[in-house]
Amino acid sequence: MPKIVDGLRWGVEQRLEFIEFRLFWEGGVNRSDIIDTFGVSVPQASKDLTLYQERAPHNMIYDKSAKRYIAAGGFKPQFLNPDPDAFLSRLQAVVEGADWQRDSWISAAPDADVALTPKRDVDGDVLRAVLNAIRNRRSIDVMYQSMNPQRPDPKWRRITPHAFGYDGFRWHARAFCHLEETFKDFLLPRILKSRGEDEPGASGEADHFWHEYYPLEIAPHPALTSSQQEVVAKDYGMKGRKCVLRVRVAMLFYVMKRLGLLNDAVNEDPRRQHIVLLNEADAKRVLELANTGRIVREAAVGRETAG
């Protein structure tokens, strides 16, 4: 059944949100925009516009010369959360090849580009098998190509996956490794084949590093000028020139790597490394514990548990 929100079916509310998206970000919308994006009939698109006017009577006016509705001066969103990150994510999807009208809601994308990374070749059957194993709480055999010099060739390994992680470049399965009897990350592109489900190993509930969080405290690089530090603080959403990132211990390495915090950031060139880690010594201690497979427990001050 369609979702009901404030008396509206989910499909109707989505179209009202679309109308508001076009009004807010692009200044206007017309009936054909709704028809082209959602595949509805002409009468339905007209009803949507009428309904929007009823629900938000001061948000749009009809421009006869442009033959479309435009945002009124006192426009206030009723159905849309005008989040810049959400818009930029849609723009990124356009640049990366999404159906820009139907999927992104952007009618005329501005000229844009993103720093491309090579497409990761994940086998669809492998991904489906991992998903099924997580859903069924079972283990599976995977043919895995490790980068460990002690295992230079692909090897069948039994794992019990329970979650996925993404480091900004690659997806991995978080799983209990039956070979090493510990929880590890298995990069999906390196899983070449999979086969038969079987009895599980340790469950995801026992993966302490996945369920425990560590507070990464970041701040602007102290070698920056005051005005530079101010804009870095704004860039990272800091309050009082400080920000605390709540990071899963199992993802700590990836977050620190992406932010350039694995090394001594304070000694890096501030023109390239804009932020530093305030609790660097403790964070690296926790990271070392995670790398060696030891339970964090008392390692992190301010540690939190998922949920």
Side-chain angles (χ1 to χ4, degrees):
M1 294 291 294
K3 178 182 176 184
I4 304 297
V5 179
D6 192 23
L8 299 174
R9 287 184 299 141
W10 181 84
V12 176
E13 193 197 21
Q14 187 186 40
R15 295 196 296 275
L16 296 181
E17 182 182 354
F18 168 80
I19 291 170
E20 205 156 79
F21 178 93
R22 287 287 178 88
L23 288 170
F24 185 85
W25 292 114
E26 302 191 356
V29 65
N30 59 33
R31 189 172 57 187
S32 63
D33 294 335
I34 303 171
I35 296 169
D36 293 341
T37 301
F38 295 97
V40 298
S41 65
V42 172
Q44 182 61 63
S46 298
K47 288 181 181 179
D48 291 337
L49 289 167
T50 300
L51 179 60
Y52 182 81
Q53 285 181 305
E54 293 173 357
R55 292 298 182 107
H58 305 296
N59 273 4
M60 70 179 186
I61 56 178
Y62 189 71
D63 185 334
K64 293 182 179 179
S65 61
K67 296 183 179 179
R68 68 172 186 161
Y69 290 92
I70 61 174
F75 180 90
K76 293 182 180 180
Q78 300 295 318
F79 299 92
L80 174 75
N81 175 19
D83 181 4
D85 285 339
F87 177 84
L88 293 173
S89 294
R90 291 177 181 271
L91 181 58
Q92 179 180 344
V94 172
V95 175
E96 293 178 343
D99 183 333
W100 59 272
Q101 279 191 318
R102 185 174 297 277
D103 297 336
S104 73
W105 291 6
I106 298 174
S107 65
D111 195 15
D113 206 345
V114 298
L116 296 178
T117 56
K119 183 178 180 296
R120 306 296 180 176
D121 186 15
V122 177
D123 186 290
D125 291 335
V126 164
L127 177 57
R128 183 167 180 259
V130 174
L131 285 166
N132 286 338
I134 292 175
R135 186 180 307 113
N136 299 331
R137 294 178 175 266
R138 303 280 284 176
S139 67
I140 56 171
D141 271 336
V142 295
M143 175 68 77
Y144 193 73
Q145 176 60 73
S146 172
M147 293 296 118
N148 190 325
Q150 298 179 357
R151 289 190 288 271
D153 299 318
K155 180 182 178 66
W156 282 106
R157 302 173 69 166
R158 181 154 289 274
I159 65 173
T160 299
H162 71 86
F164 290 99
Y166 182 63
D167 67 357
F169 297 99
R170 298 178 296 190
W171 283 94
H172 63 260
R174 182 72 177 175
F176 179 77
C177 175
H178 293 229
L179 177 66
E180 300 184 21
E181 297 186 334
T182 189
F183 288 96
K184 297 176 68 70
D185 300 334
F186 292 86
L187 290 168
L188 294 180
R190 296 182 187 171
I191 300 178
L192 309 180
K193 299 177 183 178
S194 63
R195 65 187 183 190
E197 290 187 2
D198 206 336
E199 292 298 316
S203 71
E205 286 76 9
D207 188 354
H208 301 288
F209 296 140
W210 182 259
H211 295 289
E212 293 183 355
Y213 288 78
Y214 182 80
L216 272 183
E217 300 177 12
I218 64 172
H221 197 295
L224 295 172
T225 67
S226 180
S227 62
Q228 289 171 335
Q229 290 187 34
E230 195 65 33
V231 78
V232 168
K234 179 179 181 295
D235 189 21
Y236 285 84
M238 298 178 185
K239 302 297 183 183
R241 297 191 182 182
K242 175 182 174 181
C243 179
V244 178
L245 303 178
R246 184 173 177 265
V247 182
R248 290 183 191 271
V249 175
M251 297 294 292
L252 188 58
F253 170 81
Y254 304 110
V255 174
M256 291 177 64
K257 180 180 179 181
R258 193 171 189 185
L259 294 177
L261 299 173
L262 284 177
N263 297 318
D264 189 6
V266 73
N267 290 323
E268 298 289 334
D269 187 339
R271 292 175 298 177
R272 294 190 297 270
Q273 181 59 39
H274 300 153
I275 59 172
V276 296
L277 193 54
L278 296 179
N279 54 344
E280 179 181 15
D282 192 56
K284 289 184 176 179
R285 181 167 60 92
V286 173
L287 186 60
E288 180 62 25
L289 291 174
N291 288 340
T292 57
R294 292 167 56 190
I295 303 301
V296 175
R297 293 302 180 192
E298 300 177 359
V301 177
R303 176 182 58 81
E304 300 178 66
T305 302

